[in-house]
Amino acid sequence: MKSRSNLSVVYHDNHLLVVNKPAGLLSQADETGDIDLLTLAKSWVKDTYQKPGQVYLGLVHRLDRPASGLMVLARTSKAAARLTRQFQARTPHKRYWALLQGRLDGAGRWEDYLIKSGRVVSVVSQKNPKAKYAALRWRALAYHKDTTLVAVELETGRPHQIRVQFASRGFPLLGDLRYRATRRFDGENLALHCFQLGLEHPTRREPMRWEQDAPATWSDWFAEVRAAVLRDSSEEHG
């Protein structure tokens, strides 16, 4: 469903608002003054629920501006606190699709130590006192025209983690010119999409899960493979 602000809302109740963030949209306002997801979401809640005055929404996690996919926002401070604890404990289940330059086969688990300097993240030695541990799991799903589709599960949530860990091994994401990509993708955006998000409902304490296919800009890239992944996941979870 979409509001008049064109916000793509996947699920909502009195405690949660789950949205499908488009690539190019900020998660939260910054110095650019560009429109952001949190502002649009507050407008959607105010309009949909006819709320007077200011609307509360808690931002409990983020997606990079050039990436797309599922995000959850908290509609109450209690929900925000409980969701924040979940994300700090790494219990939510997030799966991403990424399109990589080059051919990557098989599956694996990668561990690195990252450091952020300004707007750039780099892989550094474990001995660096400012380094942050980063780990992810990946599986190659398909290859065509020097492009690999991978599914990624994060074990940690470091800034630019997926982008940096793949680029450091010679497989930058399409469109990620900051991290060694030589091919553009959808203007200034990159080929990274959070297609699955699972977590415990903050008040009902029951498992919740949502899935969203990649945006239309991905239409020519492994559409049948992505559809099969979503179908198999739906059957697996009943």
Side-chain angles (χ1 to χ4, degrees):
M1 66 188 83
K2 290 192 177 183
S3 75
R4 287 194 286 270
S5 64
N6 292 323
L7 184 70
S8 178
V9 176
V10 178
Y11 173 86
H12 62 101
D13 62 21
N14 290 334
H15 308 279
L16 300 178
L17 178 66
V18 179
V19 300
N20 187 21
K21 186 188 88 68
L25 181 67
L26 289 164
S27 294
Q28 186 178 27
D30 67 4
E31 68 278 0
T32 66
D34 294 342
I35 193 65
D36 64 284
L37 176 71
L38 187 59
T39 298
L40 289 178
K42 287 182 178 180
S43 176
W44 187 92
V45 170
K46 186 177 182 66
D47 181 42
T48 302
Y49 287 89
Q50 298 183 337
K51 290 277 189 180
Q54 293 187 340
V55 169
Y56 175 85
L57 273 181
L59 188 71
V60 295
H61 69 125
R62 294 172 174 79
L63 279 176
D64 290 347
R65 179 173 187 167
S68 60
L70 289 163
M71 289 183 60
V72 60
L73 301 164
R75 293 200 54 212
T76 65
S77 58
K78 178 185 290 187
R82 290 177 176 176
L83 288 172
T84 296
R85 286 197 290 270
Q86 287 188 52
F87 279 99
Q88 288 174 342
R90 303 296 172 200
T91 56
H93 181 71
K94 293 187 289 181
R95 295 180 69 196
Y96 298 79
W97 282 320
L99 296 175
L100 313 177
Q101 287 187 204
R103 180 159 196 157
L104 181 62
D105 296 308
R109 180 178 183 271
W110 290 341
E111 296 178 302
D112 290 297
Y113 288 84
L114 308 180
I115 191 168
K116 186 174 183 181
S117 178
R119 299 171 63 87
V120 176
V121 177
S122 303
V123 175
V124 297
S125 167
Q126 179 181 354
K127 297 178 181 179
N128 190 309
K130 295 183 179 180
K132 302 292 186 180
Y133 174 75
L136 57 75
R137 297 179 185 273
W138 62 270
R139 179 176 297 278
L141 302 177
Y143 173 79
H144 182 62
K145 293 184 178 180
D146 199 36
T147 304
T148 303
L149 171 68
V150 294
V152 183
E153 295 184 37
L154 287 178
E155 295 184 16
T156 57
R158 305 304 182 191
H160 300 187
Q161 179 180 336
I162 294 174
R163 302 163 62 180
V164 173
Q165 287 195 268
F166 280 97
S168 69
R169 291 168 171 83
F171 302 99
L173 276 62
L174 294 192
D176 202 359
L177 304 185
R178 182 178 300 183
Y179 295 109
R180 308 179 188 176
T182 58
R183 295 159 56 189
R184 291 189 175 274
F185 183 83
D186 183 24
E188 296 183 355
N189 299 318
L190 53 88
L192 180 63
H193 176 75
C194 181
F195 74 90
Q196 187 179 88
L197 173 63
L199 48 79
E200 181 183 83
H201 192 281
T203 59
R204 301 201 299 266
R205 302 298 175 91
E206 63 185 30
M208 307 285 288
R209 187 176 60 88
W210 304 273
E211 293 176 340
Q212 288 287 295
D213 195 7
T217 50
W218 289 51
S219 60
D220 294 334
W221 291 105
F222 311 110
E224 293 182 1
V225 177
R226 301 197 319 267
V229 170
L230 294 176
R231 182 174 61 251
D232 292 347
S233 179
S234 178
E235 293 175 354
E236 177 184 348
H237 290 86

